[in-house]
Amino acid sequence: MPYKERDIEKQYYSIGEVAAMFDVAPSLIRFWETEFDILKPKKNKKGNRLFSPKDIDNLRFVYHLVKERGYTIQGAREMLKTRGVQAREKFEMIQSLEKVKEFLISIKSQLP
């Protein structure tokens, strides 16, 4: 059986890397960590935050509510408490539809 290379995926990301992913300041991520219970990155002995892919998904959801949908911090917190599961499912549906849209647009651009 031939050797098959696997994609190496990082287990943890620094706060600087995560801030660059979302194009926000690291201070905003630290602030959201204090405001939202779902954001709990691990910390090493030095106190540096280490974000797992699950933490990044939670942060992406908070970013969607606050930055894209325009919720206030209090409104986003209440949304997570009252309709968190429903809102998460809707968000995941939107993300998957956007991926399909990007795929279809790339196919369209390849057609003559």
Side-chain angles (χ1 to χ4, degrees):
M1 192 166 197
Y3 175 73
K4 189 174 185 181
E5 287 193 38
R6 297 184 307 168
D7 291 335
I8 297 174
E9 196 171 306
K10 289 180 77 169
Q11 295 292 323
Y12 292 101
Y13 298 86
S14 70
I15 192 166
E17 292 171 320
V18 175
M21 285 180 201
F22 292 97
D23 195 28
V24 296
S27 60
L28 180 63
I29 294 173
R30 286 191 294 271
F31 173 70
W32 283 351
E33 181 185 341
T34 63
E35 295 295 320
F36 296 99
D37 294 335
I38 64 170
L39 299 178
K40 295 288 181 203
K42 292 185 182 213
K43 293 184 182 177
N44 64 11
K45 290 180 182 180
K46 292 168 104 178
N48 297 337
R49 289 163 177 81
L50 300 172
F51 291 85
S52 68
K54 186 176 187 293
D55 294 326
I56 293 173
D57 287 340
N58 289 336
L59 186 62
R60 186 172 286 120
F61 184 53
V62 169
Y63 180 88
H64 170 73
L65 291 176
V66 175
K67 294 288 190 178
E68 294 173 353
R69 298 283 309 268
Y71 280 85
T72 62
I73 299 293
Q74 182 64 30
R77 219 183 293 134
E78 290 175 11
M79 167 69 86
L80 289 171
K81 285 182 184 176
T82 58
R83 296 178 288 169
V85 174
Q86 295 167 341
R88 172 74 67 148
E89 289 173 356
K90 186 176 179 181
F91 172 66
E92 289 172 357
M93 178 78 66
I94 290 169
Q95 280 188 320
S96 65
L97 289 173
E98 286 176 353
K99 287 179 184 176
V100 169
K101 179 182 175 183
E102 289 174 12
F103 175 71
L104 292 173
I105 289 172
S106 69
I107 289 176
K108 181 182 177 185
S109 67
Q110 293 174 359
L111 293 175

